[in-house]
Amino acid sequence: MSTPGTPARVLVLNSGSSSVKYQLLDMAGEERLASGLVERIGERSSRLVHTPLAAGGERRERTERIADHTRALRLLSAELDKDGLGLDSPELAAVGHRVVHGGPRFTGPTLVDDGVLAQIEELVPLAPLHQPANVTGIRTAREMRPDLPQVAVFDTAFHATMPEHAYRYAIDTATADAHLVRRYGFHGTSHAYVSRRAAELLGRAPEDTNVIVLHLGNGASASAVAGGRCVDTSMGLTPLEGLVMGTRSGDIDPAVVFHLARVAGMSVDGIDELLNKRSGLSGLCGDNDMREIRRRIDEGDRAAELAFAIYAHRLRKYIGAYAAVLGRVDAVVFTAGVGENAAEVREAAVAGLEGFGLAVDAARNAVRSDEPRLVSPDGSRVAVAVVPTDEELEIARQTFALATREDGQ
Ligand code: ADP
């Protein structure tokens, strides 16, 4: 814990379309003091779950209608206040906001002022579901504590180092530039944290380490990281491109969209909903939870088996592609809900890639742990690792570093 009088706490806010997740961290020892979630915002019965972590306090829960994000923030601050940790606390150094889209402009964590907030709002068309909630979160927190540094940490920022030949789509340049159409990539704070942590696990300097990170949660993305810098990533203008996900298709021939519009008479919004919400594992077999899919496979379910095979095939294609992009790979690193927990996915993703120096050791791969660990056999040319992600800690670190910098730049 920090000494009184030296503000070292950071509140991390992750405002989604109908939820706000939050964590309060003390950066002196990177200790988590509280965490919580407000969900079903705007619905009839919203829920706030608050867990004080430092004081060993009891988990508290309340269910009531929470009309909007402004109300949600006020309630979560009141909940933090009960333990003397609210937004009014003098020990709070800054608020770190996860912001989904930084567009081409925001390439790192940014102190928010009126101009920055307006620019973040201008990016709403690039992420219409998430960006408005991010903007409201920042606006409300600023209203509640106008004196406090508010830092925006962008999901896209880590990928800003991609070279133009990786981020530019091969379409008419003038049209692309006029509408900011290019690959941006997402899950950037996770790819940043995990790639750095993987280098530590290998006992190497990040500047001298090449890794392929596979962030496999409900959303899923791959990145190629060379010497600590992202050189390619699988998500694009939006989080729809790339790997097979829980409910998103990932890569698909764009002509599928024209075909469905012309032949099935579907609207743009209808196809958007199909590819984002009714595709991926869920579209293929009706389940998007990997645990359920594995259970069904064990029972001999053919649709679940095929969904798993398609998911793994896409992973192998990206590993191969990014091995070619990087030239030399030191590790393939799995993270997020599926990557950290599903041993079968890790095994299937590298199956047949022995020629690339990749293999998993069955016993190591079967171990369950919250710690970063190697799952490849000793002496493997390329390490295979599991590194639990921690996006909140990464956001808090970036926020604190920027908020406490002398020049504030
Ligand atoms: P997100 O943050 O994208 O919502 P997470 O990283 O929390 O997602 O991952 C959620 C997914 O992780 C679940 O949908 C489920 O498929 C998978 N998952 C979680 N636990 C396990 C487990 N023990 N075994 C296999 N898959 C798991």
Side-chain angles (χ1 to χ4, degrees):
M1 298 269 275
S2 60
T3 45
T6 51
R9 291 180 185 161
V10 173
L11 177 64
V12 176
L13 289 178
N14 180 356
S15 307
S17 50
S18 66
S19 68
V20 180
K21 290 186 201 141
Y22 61 96
Q23 279 195 13
L24 184 74
L25 294 98
D26 190 312
M27 298 314 289
E30 295 195 334
E31 184 191 1
R32 251 164 268 253
L33 304 179
S35 74
L37 163 74
V38 188
E39 59 185 353
R40 300 196 297 268
I41 296 171
E43 293 178 29
R44 209 176 356 221
S45 166
S46 323
R47 190 166 75 120
L48 183 148
V49 182
H50 177 85
T51 312
L53 299 167
E58 290 279 297
R59 181 175 182 271
R60 301 193 287 268
E61 197 174 320
R62 52 196 280 182
T63 308
E64 64 187 67
R65 180 170 151 72
I66 300 171
D68 52 32
H69 284 72
T70 309
R71 178 86 188 127
L73 241 67
R74 292 193 186 282
L75 279 178
L76 77 84
S77 179
E79 215 49 61
L80 284 162
D81 257 340
K82 290 180 187 166
D83 302 311
L85 301 171
L87 266 167
D88 291 335
S89 159
E91 286 169 75
L92 195 60
V95 182
H97 298 266
R98 178 186 182 194
V99 179
V100 162
H101 222 301
R105 193 181 320 236
F106 295 110
T107 58
T110 306
L111 261 182
V112 178
D113 58 20
D114 291 342
V116 166
L117 187 55
Q119 287 170 14
I120 293 173
E121 201 162 12
E122 278 170 22
L123 298 171
V124 164
L126 288 175
L129 289 181
H130 295 100
Q131 199 86 344
N134 300 157
V135 170
T136 310
I138 296 173
R139 189 168 285 137
T140 309
R142 289 183 85 210
E143 277 164 20
M144 291 172 77
R145 274 296 298 271
D147 59 313
L148 202 62
Q150 310 270 337
V151 176
V153 178
F154 299 91
D155 242 29
T156 48
F158 181 63
H159 306 301
T161 51
M162 277 190 286
E164 191 166 358
H165 59 256
Y167 74 67
R168 193 173 269 287
Y169 291 118
I171 64 170
D172 172 64
T173 302
T175 307
D177 289 350
H179 301 287
L180 305 180
V181 174
R182 48 161 283 188
R183 174 174 291 114
Y184 294 98
F186 297 87
H187 292 142
T189 42
S190 178
H191 287 280
Y193 175 86
V194 168
S195 54
R196 206 175 336 102
R197 194 75 189 79
E200 271 172 42
L201 179 69
L202 299 179
R204 303 175 65 117
E207 309 77 55
D208 186 33
T209 310
N210 288 357
V211 296
I212 297 171
V213 177
L214 301 168
H215 175 111
L216 311 178
N218 227 329
S221 62
S223 68
V225 182
R229 293 162 69 82
C230 176
V231 293
D232 207 349
T233 195
S234 60
M235 284 180 165
L237 173 75
T238 76
L240 182 56
E241 193 178 350
L243 300 174
V244 176
M245 313 184 206
T247 65
R248 298 187 201 124
S249 62
D251 293 339
I252 196 166
D253 181 347
V256 169
V257 177
F258 324 139
H259 179 77
L260 289 175
R262 290 178 189 134
V263 175
M266 290 176 73
S267 66
V268 169
D269 286 345
I271 301 171
D272 188 330
E273 197 256 348
L274 170 77
L275 298 181
N276 275 295
K277 306 254 174 71
R278 290 192 289 125
S279 296
L281 294 169
S282 173
L284 288 165
C285 75
D287 272 308
N288 63 349
D289 192 311
M290 193 52 80
R291 286 163 288 202
E292 186 58 17
I293 290 170
R294 291 306 312 174
R295 196 191 58 72
R296 284 173 53 185
I297 291 173
D298 288 344
E299 289 176 353
D301 185 307
R302 165 88 185 115
E305 217 169 85
L306 182 60
F308 185 87
I310 294 170
Y311 185 93
H313 179 68
R314 187 78 52 87
L315 280 173
R316 286 194 295 273
K317 288 214 298 199
Y318 269 91
I319 292 171
Y322 286 173
V325 165
L326 289 169
R328 185 201 84 220
V329 185
D330 297 308
V332 171
V333 191
F334 290 85
T335 193
V338 176
E340 291 166 28
N341 295 298
E344 304 90 344
V345 168
R346 296 192 294 263
E347 187 188 340
V350 304
L353 300 185
E354 295 81 8
F356 287 73
L358 281 161
V360 294
D361 174 274
R364 287 182 182 174
N365 194 34
V367 171
R368 295 198 153 271
S369 162
D370 293 334
E371 294 298 315
R373 58 201 185 273
L374 291 175
V375 295
S376 43
D378 289 337
S380 284
R381 187 147 49 86
V382 180
V384 180
V386 181
V387 174
T389 193
D390 195 337
E391 288 163 284
E392 289 79 12
L393 177 58
E394 181 66 24
I395 292 172
R397 281 178 179 167
Q398 293 188 18
T399 298
F400 191 62
L402 187 59
T404 53
R405 254 169 70 163
E406 297 280 317
D407 57 8
Q409 293 301 298

